[in-house]
């Protein structure tokens, strides 16, 4: 049995992951958030579409995702370009989030930082082949 199939942690907030999407068009950020909202529960309203204020530099869109329940199936969405995602939370929760993302996107781990209780993973999401 792997970490994503084990019983979730019982401490309050231990199943929540902070997700940040940046360096992509707003439509691709929306594609990622829609996929996450299909798989898990998030704090983003479905009609809360990312916007791109002109001339403001790099934009970061964020959501908090509850991964307590196993990810629901999601059809692989299409991105216009690779998307950079940062996920921060407890080890179990980040692993479960990554398993969900890997069911919908091609996921490349581009770096991570680990602490005593938390992990931050930097990911590159792209379209799945086939």
């Amino acid at each position: 049995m792997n970490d994503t199939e084990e019983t979730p942690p019982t401490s309050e907030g231990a199943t929540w992951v902070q997700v940040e999407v940046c360096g992509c068009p707003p439509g691709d950020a929306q594609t990622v958030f829609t996929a996450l909202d299909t798989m898990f529960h998030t704090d983003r309203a479905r009609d809360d579409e990312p916007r791109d204020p002109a001339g403001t530099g790099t934009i970061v869109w964020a959501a908090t995702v509850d991964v307590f329940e196993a990810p629901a199936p999601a059809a692989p969405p299409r991105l216009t370009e690779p998307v950079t995602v940062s996920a921060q939370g407890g080890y179990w929760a980040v692993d479960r989030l990554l398993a969900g993302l890997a069911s919908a996107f091609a996921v490349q781990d581009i770096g991570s930082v680990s602490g005593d209780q938390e992990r931050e993973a930097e990911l590159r999401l792209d379209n799945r082949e086939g």
Side-chain angles (χ1 to χ4, degrees), residues 45-124:
R46 286 197 181 241
D47 62 350
D48 184 12
E49 293 188 23
R51 301 191 195 329
D52 188 7
T56 58
T58 301
I59 305 296
V60 177
W61 298 284
T64 303
V65 180
D66 184 358
V67 299
F68 179 79
E69 295 184 20
R78 300 298 298 166
L79 299 167
T80 63
E81 61 185 50
V83 173
T84 301
V85 172
S86 173
Q88 182 177 3
Y91 284 91
W92 180 90
V94 170
D95 285 346
R96 176 155 288 185
L97 179 91
L98 295 179
L101 288 172
S103 72
F105 300 97
V107 178
Q108 177 186 7
D109 186 347
I110 55 176
S112 63
V113 177
S114 300
D116 284 346
Q117 309 269 327
E118 283 194 347
R119 173 180 174 207
E120 182 174 348
E122 292 290 323
L123 312 165
R124 170 120 336 171

Side-chain angles (χ1 to χ4, degrees), residues 26-50:
D28 284 341
Q30 181 63 25
T31 298
V32 172
F33 289 131
T34 298
L36 286 171
D37 194 50
T38 299
M39 292 182 263
F40 302 107
H41 296 286
T42 75
D43 67 347
R44 286 186 74 90
R46 286 197 181 241
D47 62 350
D48 184 12
E49 293 188 23

